[in-house]
Amino acid sequence: MADERCLFCDIVAGRLPATLVHEDDEVLAFRDIAPRAPVHVLVIPRRHLVSVMDFGEDDAPLLSRMFAAIREVARREGVADTGFRVVSNAGRNGGQTVGHLHFHVLGGRFMTWPPG
Ligand code: AMP
């Protein structure tokens, strides 16, 4: 169910603009508003889940859809062959700032490891 105070639910509902890269009936992908790499796309479920901690046993099909979207984004953005990073920050110490589950897809430059 949508959360009325959630930024990404607003994007899903079309109340807030976003530059979409991919969409289907369960998943949306759009450009990060403050990109940290030449390619920085966020892949989110339309349904409001807070973080990966909210995935349930029944959500395997959704997870599969999200990773299909990630592969599609990587191909479309031209980083499938050069490589990219998929990150999902969870909770305070994970650095999560938006409480709607999202995978960052980052690429177009070499990604240092470990992250800060
Ligand atoms: P995180 O800090 O892992 O929760 O990631 C949240 C991401 O959402 C950050 O990289 C922000 O730049 C990004 N962000 C915040 N608001 C918007 C928005 N309106 N459209 C696109 N990206 C956003």
Side-chain angles (χ1 to χ4, degrees), residues 42-89:
L42 302 175
V43 176
I44 71 168
R46 287 183 185 272
R47 178 155 64 97
H48 183 80
L49 300 175
V50 174
S51 77
V52 295
M53 294 306 292
D54 276 355
F55 274 125
E57 296 275 327
D58 296 341
D59 288 323
L62 174 61
L63 193 54
S64 173
R65 278 293 198 85
M66 293 190 76
F67 274 89
I70 287 167
R71 293 193 298 277
E72 175 65 16
V73 165
R75 281 191 288 266
R76 282 201 193 168
E77 297 293 306
V79 296
D81 293 333
T82 50
F84 58 96
R85 181 167 293 166
V86 179
V87 178
S88 190
N89 299 322

Side-chain angles (χ1 to χ4, degrees), residues 5-108:
R5 295 146 304 168
C6 172
L7 204 64
F8 289 177
C9 284
D10 282 347
I11 290 177
V12 170
R15 288 189 292 268
L16 195 66
T19 306
L20 296 187
V21 175
H22 167 88
E23 67 175 318
D24 60 45
D25 56 336
E26 288 196 80
V27 177
L28 219 60
F30 53 90
R31 295 196 191 287
D32 196 291
I33 204 167
R36 303 300 178 100
V39 173
H40 189 172
V41 173
L42 302 175
V43 176
I44 71 168
R46 287 183 185 272
R47 178 155 64 97
H48 183 80
L49 300 175
V50 174
S51 77
V52 295
M53 294 306 292
D54 276 355
F55 274 125
E57 296 275 327
D58 296 341
D59 288 323
L62 174 61
L63 193 54
S64 173
R65 278 293 198 85
M66 293 190 76
F67 274 89
I70 287 167
R71 293 193 298 277
E72 175 65 16
V73 165
R75 281 191 288 266
R76 282 201 193 168
E77 297 293 306
V79 296
D81 293 333
T82 50
F84 58 96
R85 181 167 293 166
V86 179
V87 178
S88 190
N89 299 322
R92 190 190 60 212
N93 280 359
Q96 184 174 10
T97 59
V98 177
H100 183 126
L101 171 69
H102 50 283
F103 289 109
H104 296 257
V105 179
L106 297 144

